[in-house]
Amino acid sequence: MTDMTDKAKIKFRLNLNARIIGVISALVLTFAIFTALEPAFISIDNLLEVGVQSAIIAFVALGLTFVIVTGGIDISVGAIVGLTAVICATNLEHWGTALTIVIGIAIGTALGAFNGVVSAIFNVQSFVVTLATLNLFRGLAFLYTDGRPLYNLDEGFRDFFSANLGDIPKPILFLAGFAILCFIILNRSRLGLHFKAIGTNMDAARRSGVSTRATQIAAFALGGALAGIAALMLMSRIGAAEPVSGTGFELQAIAAVVVGGTSLMGGRASIVGTVLGAILLGSIANGLTLLNVNAFVQLVVTGVIVLGAVLTDRLATRTKNGR
């Protein structure tokens, strides 16, 4: 039994490493193509801009990694970003920077946990739950502001997230720090082990003594917390917030997660892969923008990447199962 388990682990790591190598190869190819078409793409300033652009989606994607590895999905993360952003932007002047950050993360955590509670306690498919809360949270954001955008956010708040620390933009440093934290949670903690266990086999995990409902809720809460941080970073980057903030983030985040090697079937995930996937998507978007390609084409490209990643994941799963 031990030999079989060890072999399964080795095979899992080899498959995951192959996916990460694939993402790195795609990044190299992307950089080569865009540099050939537009030499400014490889400049230090533009590479830092790619990092900053990728950071916000990467935070959402890191949160989704915890949800997806449990076998769930959260398509309301973009709406969580929007609702958190407008609440925090409305009260920023009264709360101040520090309290706004704390409350922003708390709001994201609460909204994510709400998704987890409804899905786990009532045994409803997370896709159905978050499809409903996507509209619920987005509608609340519009009601909260009467549909009006909020501008001219406090410069001190913006500097906390968006200024440079030395020559490096803070969003890149924040992403590096939280990616390490997420890696530790997923791969070096009991909670991360439970995430993978229920994603691999819910019944077996339950029989092993794992509190599956609490673990599912924790995954969604973590996803919401990271979406809350993404909302704060988005506010600081553009200096504004509006009810439609975060629209489309769920598609980009899912793309980053799946491209990075996390299985939509659950049980297998890579924090490093997720970050690389977000950078790949950010690089493609940046390169297309430099080439003045229509923004709608970028949506098509993202959709093709998601479809390709999902098909690759399904083929890998069938091959592993011998089908």
Side-chain angles (χ1 to χ4, degrees):
M1 181 66 71
T2 302
D3 290 340
M4 291 296 292
T5 302
D6 290 341
K7 288 179 181 179
K9 287 181 178 179
I10 292 171
K11 187 175 181 181
F12 161 74
R13 288 170 182 169
L14 289 174
N15 289 336
L16 196 56
N17 288 337
R19 292 291 293 273
I20 293 175
I21 291 171
V23 179
I24 294 174
S25 300
L27 266 172
V28 172
L29 181 61
T30 298
F31 274 52
I33 292 173
F34 283 124
T35 300
L37 295 173
E38 176 52 73
F41 178 82
I42 203 65
S43 68
I44 296 298
D45 287 342
N46 190 65
L47 292 179
L48 290 175
E49 180 63 21
V50 168
V52 171
Q53 290 178 357
S54 304
I56 296 173
I57 291 299
F59 267 93
V60 179
L62 286 171
L64 266 180
T65 302
F66 291 119
V67 175
I68 292 175
V69 77
T70 66
I73 192 73
D74 188 347
I75 60 171
S76 72
V77 285
I80 290 176
V81 169
L83 181 55
T84 302
V86 295
I87 293 175
C88 290
T90 302
N91 298 282
L92 176 59
E93 185 175 349
H94 174 67
W95 289 342
T97 297
L99 187 57
T100 297
I101 293 170
V102 172
I103 293 177
I105 297 173
I107 292 171
T109 303
L111 296 177
F114 177 79
N115 286 335
V117 167
V118 175
S119 179
I121 301 300
F122 295 97
N123 197 28
V124 181
Q125 286 284 345
S126 57
F127 176 83
V128 176
V129 173
T130 57
L131 178 62
T133 56
L134 183 156
N135 292 285
L136 171 62
F137 298 157
R138 189 69 72 190
L140 289 174
F142 275 98
L143 288 172
Y144 194 84
T145 62
D146 290 327
R148 295 192 301 267
L150 304 158
Y151 299 109
N152 302 319
L153 300 186
D154 177 70
E155 286 297 326
F157 170 82
R158 298 189 64 187
D159 287 345
F160 181 86
F161 283 105
S162 296
N164 286 7
L165 189 62
D167 295 327
I168 309 298
K170 285 184 179 179
I172 296 176
L173 298 175
F174 279 125
L175 175 59
F178 275 91
I180 292 171
L181 177 61
C182 290
F183 181 89
I184 292 171
I185 292 173
L186 184 63
N187 299 291
R188 298 290 186 271
S189 73
R190 182 178 296 273
L191 181 60
L193 179 64
H194 289 177
F195 285 159
K196 295 175 185 177
I198 68 173
T200 302
N201 190 316
M202 179 81 76
D203 291 334
R206 187 181 293 113
R207 289 194 297 270
S208 299
V210 176
S211 177
T212 55
R213 288 180 175 177
T215 303
Q216 285 178 286
I217 294 169
F220 277 93
L222 268 174
L226 288 161
I229 296 173
L232 297 169
M233 294 182 69
L234 179 64
M235 290 165 53
S236 70
R237 177 167 170 77
I238 66 178
E242 52 185 326
V244 295
S245 294
T247 299
F249 278 17
E250 57 282 337
L251 175 62
Q252 297 178 59
I254 291 171
V257 172
V258 178
V259 166
T262 296
S263 173
L264 285 173
M265 300 297 102
R268 187 184 76 232
S270 170
I271 295 297
V272 174
T274 292
V275 174
L276 290 175
I279 294 173
L280 174 62
L281 292 174
S283 301
I284 292 172
N286 178 273
L288 293 175
T289 300
L290 284 178
L291 295 174
N292 295 316
V293 175
N294 191 304
F296 299 131
V297 175
Q298 297 183 28
L299 291 176
V300 173
V301 171
T302 302
V304 170
I305 291 173
V306 175
L307 182 60
V310 170
L311 291 177
T312 300
D313 179 64
R314 291 294 294 171
L315 288 173
T317 302
R318 288 185 178 183
T319 300
K320 181 180 70 174
N321 294 334
R323 295 178 183 176

